[in-house]
Amino acid sequence: MKTEGHPVELSEFVRDRYLEGADYKVRNFTREGIEGLLMTGGVPRERADWCDTVESITGLSVNERNRAAAGLVIMRTARGVYALSYGVGHHMLDPYYRDDEFGLEFATRCLDDAGVIKVRNQIMDGRGRVDEYSVSRGERIDDFGLDRFGAVVRRICGTVSGLALTSLESGRTRRVRVECSQATIKLPLATSLEEFLSDLRTIEDVCARPDPLPQLRFVSRVHTLNNGSRKAVEAQKILEGLLADPDSPRLTTGVPDACQESHSSAQAFRIRRGAQVIETSELELRHLLAFVKDKPPGERLKALADVRVTMFSDDDCQTPAGLATNGKEWLIADIQANPDRLFYGNGKWFEVGAGFIETLEEELTNLFAAPRTITLPCWTRGPLNSDGQDSHDEDWFNHRAAEQDGYLLFDKKNVRTSKFKGGGLEICDVLGPDSQLICVKKATSSTAPLNHLFAQGVVAVEALRSDAEVRAKFLKQVAAHSPNHRLIEDFGTLRVVFGILLKDGEDIAVDSLFAFAQVSLLQAVRRLRAMNADVEVIAIRR
């Protein structure tokens, strides 16, 4: 349990409704140098909830009692505060004080090298998808083929054999299985007080080790937080303040996973909350925050959840390009809550460690330093149009790029099939001289367009690789430009080029991209390389 060094009464770790409930008993105890609190109880029911259903199905009389028993022991040692739960006792704990690092901190410092049995991953996207990998006997973590950038380890199960646990010292077994999630550890503990305290000291000693095992170091680089935990609550207070500032450099928008496929061809967006409606050709952060900026702190994120965003495949918002999503799903935030760094995305909080940032920066540095295979012209500023916007827009730039020898224009030449209806699918903006799929985006005021850009590249290659109708129609478009084009005969390794214009045409470097844009880019790179597609990133100059 987390106390941040402040003295906390043990009863504060328990939710009020259990402390005040007539069906629960609270007792304090002190034994051999530890102080503790015992909570026991449950809700007795004269008749179990399922009795009526069983009677209805069978026609037989059923009258069984049910009682959900709960036990919770909270104890303070010289090194920390710990909770032991029995039955449904874990429900009594206030999540605000849970230590979201405790379980995985233990696992990553003591699991046997070839003892990993099960890993559960939370995928960092909008679906809330969880992947689980398991084997009958222990293996090395590397043998599971885990995604170390786009997924977060939520639970890990394996064996330990080198610890001074009572069950190991007794000789009954050579190793024990442990199951660890972020805030919990499940393992066999001694039942006598003296031996139990010995086991607890062993657990404390393991968690006090300065570094995780090398093969498990990546697990601690990113982890999700319980939204009710202390860190998430504090970060959300900061986020509530930022939501009043549409120019905040720590906020941007991202594309929810449910919208990835249709977003590439979306021509318009409708943002609605009650009677307030905004329609725009490009969804930006300011559009979302227009619905919440007048709300008081503490109500803004809740109000954003009531905002509905609908994409359309036509300019006049007549043909929806997918189901409506809520505004929270489009929000991304990078929060510095000293000394912690947290990301908010797809309605979840993620805590990021220094090791993850170092690995991320190393991967990106190598990507940005790779040789260039194409050239792109400068994206100069033009005269303002009737709407007061720069007339040198993306359409203008793509025409300039396609004027180069060997380059072909494909901007707005969408492929329409039985699957990609309405606006269709845009494969690329420009086809390069060596068959490069060049995707272009301006990100001068925020990095939100980059999520769109990376999604476009991934969806285009996935469609070309897996959808024969998309592939045939795109190659037909290529042949119309150049009947003998190499791509028509050679559809092997593809190359996706992301051409990006940042503010003032600055160079693309690790520190010039928003943190979640960095993660999004590397996720796209991984997926594209898995489909035999090389990736190149080029800065467009002013």
Side-chain angles (χ1 to χ4, degrees):
M1 307 292 286
K2 279 283 189 181
T3 62
E4 295 302 307
H6 305 299
V8 177
E9 292 293 327
L10 296 183
S11 59
E12 291 188 35
F13 296 107
V14 183
R15 291 177 171 175
D16 291 341
R17 66 188 181 95
Y18 293 101
L19 290 172
E20 300 165 358
D23 295 307
Y24 294 88
K25 184 185 297 185
V26 186
R27 287 172 284 177
N28 295 292
F29 68 91
T30 302
R31 293 194 68 188
E32 298 188 17
I34 62 169
E35 60 171 313
L37 179 145
L38 172 63
M39 288 280 304
T40 56
V43 180
R45 297 174 185 264
E46 292 300 319
R47 180 176 168 84
D49 293 339
W50 47 266
C51 290
D52 289 342
T53 301
V54 173
E55 284 186 348
S56 176
I57 294 173
T58 65
L60 302 175
S61 176
V62 179
N63 189 23
E64 299 294 340
R65 299 183 65 185
N66 186 30
R67 187 175 189 271
L72 180 67
V73 178
I74 301 176
M75 61 177 60
R76 192 193 312 271
T77 72
R79 296 163 78 173
V81 179
Y82 302 91
L84 303 174
S85 68
Y86 302 89
V88 293
H90 58 283
H91 292 304
M92 292 189 281
L93 284 171
D94 187 339
Y96 182 84
Y97 292 104
R98 287 180 182 170
D99 182 353
D100 286 310
E101 301 172 18
F102 176 57
L104 295 180
E105 191 174 66
F106 176 79
T108 56
R109 285 161 172 76
C110 69
L111 284 185
D112 293 334
D113 183 39
V116 180
I117 296 170
K118 180 169 67 177
V119 181
R120 182 177 297 168
N121 273 355
Q122 171 77 54
I123 307 303
M124 292 176 66
D125 60 25
R127 294 169 291 180
R129 181 165 66 91
V130 174
D131 286 347
E132 185 166 295
Y133 308 82
S134 61
V135 294
S136 58
R137 301 182 65 178
E139 291 187 5
R140 291 177 55 83
I141 191 70
D142 290 343
D143 296 334
F144 285 81
L146 302 177
D147 172 11
R148 301 194 179 197
F149 282 105
V152 181
V153 174
R154 296 292 304 275
R155 188 180 300 270
I156 187 167
C157 175
T159 62
V160 297
S161 56
L163 300 182
L165 293 171
T166 306
S167 56
L168 290 173
E169 292 179 337
S170 67
R172 290 195 298 269
T173 180
R174 291 182 300 171
R175 62 178 64 89
V176 297
R177 289 193 178 192
V178 299
E179 183 174 342
C180 303
S181 62
Q182 290 174 303
T184 64
I185 303 172
K186 293 182 180 179
L187 79 166
L189 295 173
T191 54
S192 69
L193 178 62
E194 182 180 352
E195 290 183 333
F196 167 76
L197 291 178
S198 174
D199 285 346
L200 183 57
R201 284 192 294 270
T202 297
I203 293 171
E204 290 180 317
D205 290 342
V206 169
C207 291
R209 294 173 184 174
D211 298 306
L213 298 167
Q215 67 271 20
L216 293 170
R217 192 170 292 142
F218 77 96
V219 173
S220 59
R221 289 175 179 166
V222 181
H223 61 268
T224 53
L225 296 177
N226 184 309
N227 282 348
S229 68
R230 179 191 57 80
K231 288 183 179 180
V233 169
E234 293 302 316
Q236 189 148 318
K237 289 179 182 177
I238 298 173
L239 176 58
E240 286 282 341
L242 295 177
L243 289 176
D245 179 13
D247 296 320
S248 172
R250 294 194 171 275
L251 300 179
T252 187
T253 57
V255 182
D257 191 79
C259 301
Q260 292 279 2
E261 192 170 279
S262 302
H263 188 260
S264 299
S265 59
Q267 304 301 315
F269 298 81
R270 178 182 291 150
I271 309 102
R272 178 195 298 272
R273 185 171 185 267
Q276 185 180 358
V277 178
I278 296 175
E279 293 183 349
T280 178
S281 59
E282 197 73 50
L283 177 64
E284 298 179 4
L285 179 67
R286 60 187 176 87
H287 297 133
L288 292 175
L289 299 192
F291 293 85
V292 303
K293 63 182 181 181
D294 295 330
K295 297 290 182 180
E299 296 292 325
R300 292 167 183 156
L301 199 61
K302 181 180 178 181
L304 195 58
D306 294 332
V307 174
R308 289 293 174 265
V309 179
T310 306
M311 300 184 299
F312 293 88
S313 57
D314 48 16
D315 294 329
D316 53 359
C317 298
Q318 296 298 309
T319 308
L323 297 176
T325 50
N326 74 64
K328 273 176 55 174
E329 295 179 75
W330 293 80
L331 178 67
I332 290 177
D334 177 6
I335 303 297
Q336 189 70 43
N338 290 329
D340 305 312
R341 186 174 182 181
L342 297 100
F343 292 160
Y344 181 84
N346 298 304
K348 302 183 186 70
W349 284 104
F350 300 89
E351 184 176 12
V352 178
F356 177 80
I357 297 297
E358 291 172 3
T359 305
L360 196 71
E361 292 179 350
E362 181 180 319
E363 292 281 332
L364 289 169
T365 300
N366 292 336
L367 178 65
F368 298 153
R372 305 291 182 254
T373 65
I374 67 164
T375 59
L376 291 175
C378 289
W379 195 328
T380 59
R381 292 183 175 87
L384 299 182
N385 59 24
S386 58
D387 296 326
Q389 298 178 331
D390 188 349
S391 60
H392 286 184
D393 56 10
E394 189 175 314
D395 179 72
W396 174 88
F397 177 81
N398 289 332
H399 278 81
R400 284 284 312 280
E403 290 173 358
Q404 302 178 97
D405 188 36
Y407 290 70
L408 301 176
L409 181 66
F410 279 87
D411 184 26
K412 296 185 176 63
K413 296 182 180 179
N414 296 0
V415 173
R416 293 173 176 81
T417 68
S418 55
K419 178 180 180 181
F420 294 99
K421 303 175 182 178
L425 174 66
E426 183 177 270
I427 299 297
C428 62
D429 294 307
V430 179
L431 188 65
D434 201 23
S435 302
Q436 299 97 333
L437 303 176
I438 305 171
C439 302
V440 172
K441 191 60 65 178
K442 178 192 292 188
T444 54
S445 58
S446 74
T447 57
L450 296 181
N451 296 301
H452 179 180
L453 178 70
F454 304 146
Q456 177 189 0
V458 171
V459 172
V461 172
E462 284 181 339
L464 289 173
R465 290 293 192 207
S466 61
D467 192 319
E469 188 178 6
V470 169
R471 186 165 59 250
K473 289 195 172 184
F474 177 64
L475 292 179
K476 185 177 180 180
Q477 289 180 344
V478 174
H481 281 281
S482 178
N484 299 317
H485 198 283
R486 183 182 66 82
L487 189 62
I488 298 172
E489 297 297 330
D490 181 10
F491 206 77
T493 301
L494 296 173
R495 176 175 288 271
V496 175
V497 180
F498 294 124
I500 301 171
L501 173 66
L502 296 179
K503 186 178 182 180
D504 298 323
E506 65 181 89
D507 197 12
I508 296 175
V510 172
D511 57 2
S512 64
L513 291 182
F514 189 88
F516 249 112
Q518 297 176 9
V519 176
S520 180
L521 172 57
L522 285 183
Q523 284 182 290
V525 169
R526 179 184 60 81
R527 293 176 66 182
L528 288 166
R529 287 174 176 169
M531 294 183 289
N532 196 26
D534 294 329
V535 183
E536 188 175 328
V537 180
I538 293 183
I540 301 173
R541 304 300 184 183
R542 278 292 194 190

